[in-house]
């Protein structure tokens, strides 16, 4: 049995991953978030809530006690401070395995006209996301960076994966897909160590996501 700490546990992708982990494993899930009243607990024997801020090392250290795997589903302008605090707290508590949700485009790996559009549209967002991912990758941790395409709320699981140093494929992917992929990765923690996975829906290549 594993203890999984989910940072940003009320995030939309995180909620899909949590449902999948509850259904397919017997793992204990520890939900870390700023406002615990937002979450509904279904199984108090397996779900625990800790209020905290991911920029605060002391909050993180408290939450990391007894944890095997960290899954960070975070966002925000202070994403770099969050990455720094998480690395510091994990090292202090001697925990190595982390899944870090980032974004397509952090390595300028999106090819063609879509890549140009993506860089322009995400200017100001991609830079801190790239820096935060680089902090996680450079840390003495066993990390997997997750780079979703543009997110949809489609009720589907349909994906293909690209790896670091490969051109990104497609334009979109559903949050449900990303949550299920992360759940599967957490169930196979020896896989994709120190890798960075692009996730997209097949056959969605284009100059922009379809809804733009
Ligand atoms: N939109 C896209 O097309 C797209 C594409 C690729 C990647 N992404 C990225 O993928 C990631 C996950 O997506 P998502 O839809 O699951 O995002 P989301 O629903 O916005 O979840 C992010 C979570 O981070 C939490 N958070 C932010 N700062 C925090 C802090 N200091 N301490 C604790 N929690 C904090 C938020 O909590 P609060 O509720 O307390 O604010 C929120 O629940 C995001 O970083 C997003 O930018 C987005």
């Amino acid at each position: 049995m594993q203890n999984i700490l989910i940072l940003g546990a009320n995030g939309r992708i995180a909620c899909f991953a949590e449902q999948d982990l509850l259904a397919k494993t017997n793992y204990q899930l520890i939900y870390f978030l700023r406002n615990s009243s937002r979450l509904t607990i279904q199984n108090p024997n397996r779900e625990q809530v800790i209020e905290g801020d991911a920029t605060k090392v002391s909050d993180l250290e408290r939450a990391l006690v007894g944890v095997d795997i960290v899954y960070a589903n975070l966002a925000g302008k202070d994403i770099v401070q969050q990455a720094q605090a998480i690395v510091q707290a994990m090292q202090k508590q001697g925990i190595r395995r982390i899944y870090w949700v980032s974004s397509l485009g952090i390595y300028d790996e999106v090819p063609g006209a879509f890549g140009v559009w993506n860089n322009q549209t995400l200017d100001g967002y991609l830079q801190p996301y790239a820096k935060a991912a680089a902090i996680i990758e450079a840390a003495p941790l066993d990390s997997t960076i997750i780079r979703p395409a543009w997110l949809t709320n489609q009720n589907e699981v349909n994906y293909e994966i690209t790896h670091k140093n490969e051109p990104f494929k497609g334009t979109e992917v559903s949050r449900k897909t990303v949550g299920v992929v992360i759940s599967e990765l957490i169930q196979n923690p020896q896989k994709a160590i120190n890798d960075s996975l692009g996730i997209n829906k097949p056959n969605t290549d284009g100059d922009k996501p379809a809804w733009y």
Side-chain angles (χ1 to χ4, degrees), residues 98-115:
I98 183 167
Y99 298 88
W100 179 264
V101 179
S102 183
S103 170
L104 80 166
I106 57 168
Y107 311 118
D108 198 15
E109 80 281 20
V110 183
F114 177 51

Side-chain angles (χ1 to χ4, degrees), residues 1-5 21-22 24-30 43-48 65-69 186-189:
M1 203 210 25
Q2 299 270 49
N3 293 320
I4 317 296
L5 177 65
L21 286 166
L22 285 173
K24 295 181 184 164
T25 75
N26 65 352
Y27 299 169
Q28 296 290 319
L29 306 184
I30 304 151
N43 185 343
N45 293 327
R46 292 187 49 202
E47 298 170 284
Q48 180 192 342
V65 173
V67 161
D68 301 295
I69 291 175
I186 288 172
Q187 292 170 62
N188 296 281

Side-chain angles (χ1 to χ4, degrees), residues 7-14 32-35 38 52-55 73-76 78-79 82 101-104 125 129 148-151 175:
L7 305 174
N10 199 37
R12 288 163 288 178
I13 292 173
F32 181 98
L33 68 167
R34 293 186 285 196
N35 180 351
R38 292 192 197 161
D53 186 319
T55 60
N73 194 99
L74 296 162
D78 56 3
I79 195 78
Q82 295 178 50
V101 179
S102 183
S103 170
L104 80 166
Y125 159 96
Y129 268 62
W150 282 68
L151 294 164
R175 286 185 171 85

